[in-house]
């Protein structure tokens, strides 16, 4: 349900929001939420065509948009994107660290480079963005949101690499909240549950799982708007005294453990193995 109207119109007018991985999915949904409330958006990602489509969507909502082809694993590319953002839209008020990579793989088949790749995109990439945006965030007394995952706090099968990266992100989040609070910078994480229609669901849950809202205590799959609403709240003045928090936005799905995920992922892997034979 589209309920950005719950927030005051213009809540983020004149603010600059920088979103890594902002070309699609949950991150684009968050960007749309901020744009609808008046913010200007800088988005970065690896795929120019995705960024171009996303920029058009955000402009249609009234935002000024700066789109950057930049890989979060490469500090020099991120630094250039952050500098251009500052020059065109002004210093960053909100940084959303959402760029992530994922695939299902049994631990014994995960290669050292596969492990490193996800650590580099998720954990190092989130550090790079936060560290390089620090000066701008000091200027605005800004806010950072990390997009974490349930596997940071409980083992999910075939997700060793992602669990390690996201657990690192949540520890880093608290460290930054502790150290940067004196600059007025707030830092929090959002843990999304199963979100319909996303790349993550396709890779990890399969289409059947999308229909399985009954696995979720609140009885439905999440939407990108559910996650956007949490970000809009956490970055707003009413959350002014909230920092260092991991906020589950998952309809309660994290309460029932990872057994359903594990069974579904095993089925997906078996299907893939069948196809490749
Ligand atoms: N199973 C096992 N290993 C895999 C894999 C899979 N499904 N997909 C990639 N890898 C391994 C590769 O084999 C490689 O390791 P190797 O050199 O030992 O063979 C390593 O991971 C890097 O793969 P590569 O394709 O070169 O990385 P990339 O930087 O081009 O892509 C990924 C990064 C792998 C995370 C890719 O899936 C991606 O770009 N994802 C972005 C979108 C996404 O994941 N969205 C969902 C977010 S929840």
């Amino acid at each position: 349900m589209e309920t950005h109207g719950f927030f005051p119109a213009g809540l983020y007018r004149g603010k600059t929001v920088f979103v890594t991985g902002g070309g699609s999915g949950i991150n684009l949904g968050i960007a749309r939420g901020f744009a609808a409330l008046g913010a200007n958006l800088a988005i970065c990602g690896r795929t120019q065509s995705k960024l171009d489509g996303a920029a058009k969507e955000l402009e249609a909502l009234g935002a000024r948009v700066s789109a950057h082809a930049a890989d979060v694993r490469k500090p020099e590319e991120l630094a250039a994107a952050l500098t251009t953002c500052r020059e065109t839209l002004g210093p960053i008020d909100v940084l959303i660290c959402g760029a992530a990579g994922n695939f299902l793989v049994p631990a014994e088949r995960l290669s050292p480079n596969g492990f490193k790749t996800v650590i580099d995109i998720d954990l190092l990439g989130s550090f790079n963005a936060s560290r390089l945006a620090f000066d701008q965030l000091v200027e605005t007394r800004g806010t950072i949101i990390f997009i974490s995952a349930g596997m940071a706090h409980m083992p999910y099968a075939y997700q060793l690499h992602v669990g390690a990266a996201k657990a690192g992100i949540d520890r880093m989040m608290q460290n930054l909240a502790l150290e940067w609070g004196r600059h007025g910078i707030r830092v929090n994480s959002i843990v999304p549950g199963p979100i319909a229609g996303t790349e993550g669901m396709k890779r990890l849950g399969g289409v059947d799982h999308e229909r399985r809202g009954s696995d979720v205590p609140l009885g439905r799959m999440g939407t990108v708007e559910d996650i956007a609403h949490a970000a809009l709240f956490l970055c707003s003045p009413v959350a002014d005294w909230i920092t260092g928090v991991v906020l589950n936005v998952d309809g309660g799905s994290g309460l029932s453990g990872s057994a359903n995920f594990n069974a579904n992922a095993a089925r997906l892997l078996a299907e893939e193995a069948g196809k490749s034979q």
Side-chain angles (χ1 to χ4, degrees):
M1 201 193 330
E2 172 58 73
T3 50
H4 299 329
F6 175 82
F7 296 94
L11 179 62
Y12 287 100
R13 185 158 295 132
K15 302 286 186 192
T16 300
V17 180
F18 190 103
V19 186
T20 71
S24 62
I26 287 175
N27 303 321
L28 176 55
I30 293 174
R32 273 199 300 264
F34 280 101
L37 296 177
N40 296 318
L41 270 300
I43 51 174
C44 80
R46 281 180 293 162
T47 316
Q48 189 66 51
S49 56
K50 270 198 205 174
L51 292 173
D52 292 343
K56 278 203 187 102
E57 262 192 60
L58 298 170
E59 280 162 0
L61 291 168
R64 284 196 291 138
V65 181
S66 171
H68 310 271
D71 187 329
V72 292
R73 291 172 283 191
K74 298 181 179 152
E76 63 286 359
E77 291 186 9
L78 259 185
L82 287 160
T83 301
T84 309
C85 168
R86 193 188 199 302
E87 285 166 2
T88 53
L89 304 177
I92 294 163
D93 297 278
V94 172
L95 172 66
I96 308 287
C97 294
N102 204 342
F103 47 83
L104 291 172
V105 63
E108 68 277 13
R109 295 217 308 264
L110 176 62
S111 73
N113 191 40
F115 182 82
K116 178 179 182 301
T117 298
V118 170
I119 296 286
D120 281 355
I121 298 173
D122 292 32
L123 178 56
L124 183 61
S126 296
F127 170 77
N128 287 342
S130 309
R131 174 66 188 85
L132 292 166
F134 173 72
D135 289 345
Q136 296 191 38
L137 292 165
V138 168
E139 223 175 295
T140 59
R141 299 176 73 79
T143 306
I144 303 175
I145 301 281
F146 292 116
I147 305 302
S148 182
M151 27 306 249
H153 305 281
M154 170 187 303
Y156 280 54
Y158 322 122
Q159 289 280 275
L160 180 158
H161 44 325
V162 179
K166 298 292 193 181
I169 283 178
D170 283 346
R171 169 56 67 241
M172 175 171 67
M173 177 276 290
Q174 290 176 320
N175 241 96
L176 294 178
L178 179 71
E179 293 192 38
W180 290 357
R182 70 196 162 89
H183 299 289
I185 299 173
R186 298 188 297 107
V187 193
N188 295 292
S189 290
I190 292 174
V191 171
I195 305 297
T198 56
E199 176 73 15
M201 273 318 293
K202 201 168 72 184
R203 284 172 181 248
L204 309 180
V207 173
D208 286 348
H209 192 79
E210 292 217 352
R211 302 198 187 104
R212 290 209 337 236
S214 54
D215 288 350
V216 181
L218 284 180
R220 67 168 174 87
M221 297 283 291
T223 65
V224 291
E225 285 80 18
D226 288 318
I227 307 305
H229 294 153
L232 293 171
F233 161 68
L234 280 174
C235 297
S236 76
V238 293
D240 202 36
W241 215 43
I242 300 178
T243 196
V245 159
V246 176
L247 180 61
N248 292 337
V249 186
D250 65 355
S253 55
L255 301 171
S256 47
S258 61
N260 282 333
F261 175 97
N262 300 342
N264 207 46
R267 182 185 56 74
L268 275 183
L269 281 172
E271 277 172 16
E272 272 170 31
K275 275 184 214 152
S276 62
Q277 271 168 13

